[in-house]
Amino acid sequence: MTHTVAVLGTGKIGEALLSGMIRAGWNPANLLVTARRPERAEELRTRYGVESVTNADAAKRADTLILAVKPQDMGRLLDELSPHVTPDRLVISAAAGIPTAFIEERLAPNTPVVRVMPNTPVLVDEGMSVISAGSHATPTHLAHTEEIFGGVGKTLRVPESQQDAATALSGSGPAYFYYLVEAMTDAGILLGLPRAQAHDLIVQAAIGAAVMLRDSGEHPVKLREAVTSPAGTTISAIRELENHGVRAALIAALEAARDRSRELASGNG
């Protein structure tokens, strides 16, 4: 791979992408990084064998720029990059809530921009990265983006109009599972189990259930019914979940997350 990629703003997500690309076969000599603190830049250089450069140098030298900064830092970064980014570059934004139009307006006309919403399991190569094309991005640009983010999990293409919904389900999704595990652990303690044992039981149940969902191809209803025997323990628990409106609460929660994503995208932070 002779294509040069620069990761700008190499925090946790940026570093996860960097390490994933190297594991997928990218030559560190073709990877550039930027970091705000010199000690962080030296840490990345030592750990991965990549070159640390300034944002301006990255824009001049890299074929693909991955903008992995915080949303509130995006405007300032684009101001720094715009004199150096030409339309033959690909710009990938991994900043939550930033529309491609916001980036396109601040760069040279016809610059291809791709928007990506990764989630935190990219840190363990089990992420989901939702990819949307900007006005000038081609299928080739999308395929290249998938090649990069595929090193840290799965990818899914959606129209940009669906990014807020995807953020609610996937971007925020891991937090909902952590919340459920926390609540179930407390329930296990209430039922008389030590915290460590309750945690281990629930985490393994979650991993096993997720693998079955992924690998069996079965509808979740069918998998749930396989555990739910007549007049048994599971149906008693399901009845209480329904009585307390858990399904309706989840739907309302996801709608709230989508609406907040729309607010952030419109600049009403």
Side-chain angles (χ1 to χ4, degrees):
M1 298 178 183
T2 58
H3 199 92
T4 300
V5 176
V7 181
L8 285 72
T10 316
K12 287 185 177 181
I13 297 296
E15 183 177 357
L17 286 173
L18 180 68
S19 62
M21 291 177 69
I22 292 172
R23 287 192 300 276
W26 287 80
N27 187 338
N30 297 324
L31 301 175
L32 306 174
V33 298
T34 75
R36 182 173 297 177
R37 295 179 291 108
E39 59 271 25
R40 173 62 171 164
E42 177 61 22
E43 177 187 349
L44 293 167
R45 187 192 67 78
T46 302
R47 183 176 299 167
Y48 299 106
V50 297
E51 184 180 355
S52 174
V53 297
T54 66
N55 290 329
D57 284 341
K60 295 173 186 175
R61 294 172 53 186
D63 304 290
T64 298
L65 302 172
I66 302 174
L67 313 185
V69 298
K70 295 177 180 179
Q72 60 267 30
D73 296 330
M74 182 63 79
R76 183 170 63 253
L77 175 63
L78 291 172
D79 289 340
E80 191 176 350
L81 297 178
S82 60
H84 311 291
V85 176
T86 54
D88 60 339
R89 304 288 200 267
L90 169 61
V91 176
I92 301 173
S93 170
I98 302 292
T100 56
F102 178 91
I103 299 170
E104 290 167 347
E105 290 168 359
R106 288 159 176 79
L107 298 177
N110 302 317
T111 300
V113 178
V114 174
R115 177 178 172 183
V116 183
M117 181 69 235
N119 60 11
T120 55
V122 298
L123 298 170
V124 292
D125 293 348
E126 291 291 349
M128 173 57 82
S129 298
V130 183
I131 297 173
S132 300
S135 301
H136 312 295
T138 67
T140 300
H141 294 130
L142 291 174
H144 181 56
T145 304
E146 289 171 334
E147 179 185 18
I148 293 172
F149 283 81
V152 289
K154 294 183 177 295
T155 62
L156 177 69
R157 296 187 193 185
V158 302
E160 190 168 11
S161 61
Q162 295 178 2
Q163 274 282 355
D164 295 317
T167 296
L169 267 73
S170 179
S172 300
Y176 313 146
F177 287 95
Y178 302 146
Y179 181 85
L180 288 172
V181 168
E182 179 188 2
M184 292 172 71
T185 301
D186 287 345
I189 295 169
L190 179 67
L191 298 175
L193 290 169
R195 177 175 293 276
Q197 289 185 2
H199 176 81
D200 288 348
L201 288 169
I202 294 160
V203 169
Q204 187 56 39
I207 292 171
V211 171
M212 288 183 71
L213 276 169
R214 183 189 66 190
D215 295 348
S216 70
E218 297 285 0
H219 193 281
V221 169
K222 188 169 183 179
L223 292 173
R224 178 179 61 77
E225 288 177 343
V227 190
T228 311
S229 55
T233 58
T234 305
I235 193 60
S236 296
I238 295 294
R239 180 187 63 184
E240 289 302 312
L241 291 172
E242 294 293 348
N243 286 342
H244 287 81
V246 172
R247 187 186 301 265
L250 283 171
I251 293 172
L254 290 168
E255 287 180 326
R258 178 207 58 195
D259 293 346
R260 182 56 178 155
S261 180
R262 287 176 175 172
E263 291 174 359
L264 292 171
S266 65
N268 298 320

